[in-house]
Amino acid sequence: MSLSTAPRSERLHIAILGRRNAGKSSLINALTGQEIAVVSSVKGTTTDPVYKAMELLPLGPVVFIDTAGLDDEGDLGELRRKKTLNVIDKTDVAILVVDANYGIGKFEEEMVAVLKKKKLPIVGVINKVDQASLPDEIIAQYSEKWGIPFVRVSSATGQGIERLKKAIVEAAPLEQQDIIVRDLFSPGDFILLITPIDKAAPKGRLILPQQQTIRDILDGGGIAIITKEDNIKTTLDALSVKPRLAITDSQVFHAADTAIPSDIPLTSFSILFARYKGDLKELVKGVRAVSKLKDGDRVLIAEACTHHVQDDDIARVKIPRWLCQKTGKDLKLDYASGTGYPENLKDYSLIIHCGGCMLNQKAMKNRIKQAVDAGVPIVNYGVFIAYVQGILDRALEPFGYKI
């Protein structure tokens, strides 16, 4: 995967935050060297978040996000604020922009508190230093109080932009998990991938989790063998060496479980991504709630992206069918797609979430945390499907887990 083609979900997310007219849009233009965001002296020019992917060495692929001012006002301003707060949930590094003309005040104090509660690394920017200046002692006072660095910048002249990039690199988290499967095999091992091509698959290519898993196998020195679900036996018979691991699309879990001998470990792409993007233990814990559902309970089926609903859509058709068959209960099902959850999250007895391939790790972990904080069990598609088909224990064996 090249730096120029890395999907947004795999890039470090750097959000530019601050008051209206603090120069956030000018700053993203200066950082990227392009006129990405509309710049105006009118407050509230930025309405929707603006994303720009680029390479920031030595971090590699990143995405900068320009946001609406969190001090926006009125009904429309509140909608803009909510979109900015949604961005914070997927942010890896926060850039807090301060207008040198107005200085640091209560707004910035409250903003830092929000970001620290999210445990985000913060880089402070004193912007528009070509127009005004803040005394060194004031900047030093807040830098010490909040434990964050400040960089003086002029988006107009380019002053301080390179120093700001270095500060972002120094603040970036190093612990981001980048292993999908390569810790489960040794170099030279064969890995069998069962990849059905259904209506939801993009024409001419594999879906993103399958692409990323193949790349991770290659990075680990493994040998990827790829087949569809109706050719599993033929593929196994043709191999002179038994695969170290088999990975299947969740929707054909039952067929894979039947065709693959019990001495070959089996799991799914979705379960791998539950571990890679989120919290596999929490999602396995959440699936226990399925057996406790009662008539009238509300279940939320959540997807991270929007797409055209297919005839046998997994969220709208298959999961409701499997849920009904497993529980035998009269449940109320709601659906959410896109950037967030409904506000009434505590009304649900269970959340069944997609694999999150279009979310970055921060966003997926935040979605799981939101559910846990609301006291609502959460499970992802892969864990849920393996559970309702009675093969979750086998699917968790490669990770040493049991239901």
Side-chain angles (χ1 to χ4, degrees), residues 58-73:
L59 293 179
V62 303
V63 58
F64 284 102
I65 313 169
D66 183 23
T67 64
L70 280 166
D71 62 335
D72 218 334
E73 300 169 341

Side-chain angles (χ1 to χ4, degrees), residues 29-87:
N29 289 343
L31 282 164
T32 61
Q34 300 179 40
E35 295 298 315
I36 301 301
V38 176
V39 177
S40 169
S41 60
V42 177
K43 288 185 175 181
T45 300
T46 301
T47 54
D48 293 320
V50 175
Y51 293 79
K52 174 55 183 177
M54 65 173 285
E55 177 187 352
L56 181 61
L57 294 176
L59 293 179
V62 303
V63 58
F64 284 102
I65 313 169
D66 183 23
T67 64
L70 280 166
D71 62 335
D72 218 334
E73 300 169 341
D75 292 341
L76 184 56
E78 182 58 27
L79 292 175
R80 293 170 178 169
R81 277 175 45 82
K82 286 182 178 179
K83 287 189 175 183
T84 297
L85 291 172
N86 283 336
V87 165

Side-chain angles (χ1 to χ4, degrees), residues 185-193 213-214 216-226 239 241-245:
F185 63 85
S186 300
D189 282 346
F190 283 77
I191 313 298
L192 178 64
L193 307 179
T213 301
I214 292 170
D216 200 55
I217 291 170
L218 296 176
D219 286 343
I223 301 169
I225 307 296
I226 307 166
L239 293 174
V241 178
K242 182 171 66 177
R244 174 67 185 82
L245 176 69

Side-chain angles (χ1 to χ4, degrees), residues 96 155 224 266 301 303 314 382 400:
L96 178 62
S155 300
L266 171 68
I301 300 176
E303 295 183 290
I314 185 168

Side-chain angles (χ1 to χ4, degrees), residues 12 28 58 73 76 85 132 160-161 207-208 246 280 306 308 315 359 398:
L12 194 80
I28 194 173
E73 300 169 341
L76 184 56
L85 291 172
I161 294 298
I207 62 175
L208 187 58
L280 180 56
T306 55
H308 178 69
L359 298 175

Side-chain angles (χ1 to χ4, degrees), residues 192-214:
L192 178 64
L193 307 179
I194 298 98
T195 57
I197 307 299
D198 58 20
K199 291 181 180 179
K203 186 174 178 61
R205 56 190 173 90
L206 299 174
I207 62 175
L208 187 58
Q210 294 168 358
Q211 296 177 44
Q212 291 177 269
T213 301
I214 292 170

